[in-house]
Amino acid sequence: MRTLELEVPAPADLAIEVIGVPEGAPVELDLRLESVLEGVLVTASAHAPLVGECVRCLGEVTDTVDVSFSELYAYPGAIEKHPDDEEAEFIAEMTGDAVDLEQSLRDAVVLALPFQPYCRPDCAGLCAQCGKNLNEDPHDHDLIDIRWASLKESLEAGDDDGDEAPASPPA
Ligand SMILES: [Zn+2]
Ligand SMILES: [Zn+2]
């Protein structure tokens, strides 16, 4: 058995509609290669960055994904060959060209992606009334219409200025 660590650029469409691994982002692969009778069994774990869109507030979601999968690469009808030789050859092939794993990687990653990503677990989302982001600007509208609210604010501000009668100038 041998192990191999690789970093490969993420292929395109390692993603679902709302979230995914950006194309070209580094995907870390830890591979364990085992000779079995029929070929080489590759057990892989992959770690990759994720970028997506929060389903509540439409803000950016950054996360990581960890998946593991295994895949048997069968020898083309070559059971008599010495397995160790095949393993060495296979490793050379893998290091030069890791695309063989791409489909398995994609299947595993796509299955692991959240269908409803949140920017944070308690994301407050967007205000149903004014559309503002409630994470950045927590508020509620009570019963006052928003236009009245701003009018009220300016009236209050005016009050503060003119509330007290000007003191008589010192003699
Ligand atoms: Zn959010
Ligand atoms: Zn609002």
Side-chain angles (χ1 to χ4, degrees):
M1 192 193 87
R2 306 199 199 177
T3 59
L4 191 62
E5 283 178 24
L6 287 180
E7 190 181 284
V8 297
D13 67 9
L14 214 59
I16 55 176
E17 199 176 329
V18 284
I19 194 163
V21 183
E23 187 177 354
V27 179
E28 293 164 30
L29 291 171
D30 276 315
L31 306 177
R32 212 177 65 206
L33 312 178
E34 276 171 276
S35 288
V36 293
L37 198 60
E38 310 92 325
V40 178
L41 178 66
V42 179
T43 308
S45 58
H47 176 83
L50 288 179
V51 177
E53 189 179 76
C54 176
V55 292
R56 280 192 194 145
C57 72
L58 311 180
E60 190 181 68
V61 177
T62 52
D63 203 348
T64 55
V65 66
D66 288 279
V67 293
S68 48
F69 54 93
S70 56
E71 189 73 50
L72 177 69
Y73 293 89
Y75 302 139
I79 292 173
E80 305 94 70
K81 279 191 196 167
H82 194 273
D84 286 343
D85 294 344
E86 285 288 349
E87 195 182 73
E89 200 177 294
F90 186 78
I91 289 170
E93 234 172 71
M94 290 283 313
T95 354
D97 182 13
V99 289
D100 282 328
L101 282 178
E102 196 177 307
Q103 191 56 48
S104 316
L105 174 69
R106 177 175 292 113
D107 292 347
V109 167
V110 166
L111 271 179
L113 294 176
F115 285 103
Q116 299 205 310
Y118 296 117
C119 59
R120 57 194 208 200
D122 60 345
C123 173
L126 299 177
C127 175
Q129 290 175 66
C130 71
K132 280 187 189 157
N133 188 325
L134 290 171
N135 300 311
E136 291 158 10
D137 180 14
H139 65 278
D140 62 68
H141 294 283
D142 294 327
L143 296 172
I144 305 168
D145 182 275
I146 184 161
R147 284 160 298 179
W148 289 111
S150 59
L151 178 61
K152 188 164 164 265
E153 267 168 35
S154 51
L155 285 176
E156 277 166 0
D159 267 3
D160 285 342
D161 287 339
D163 214 10
E164 286 170 29
S168 358

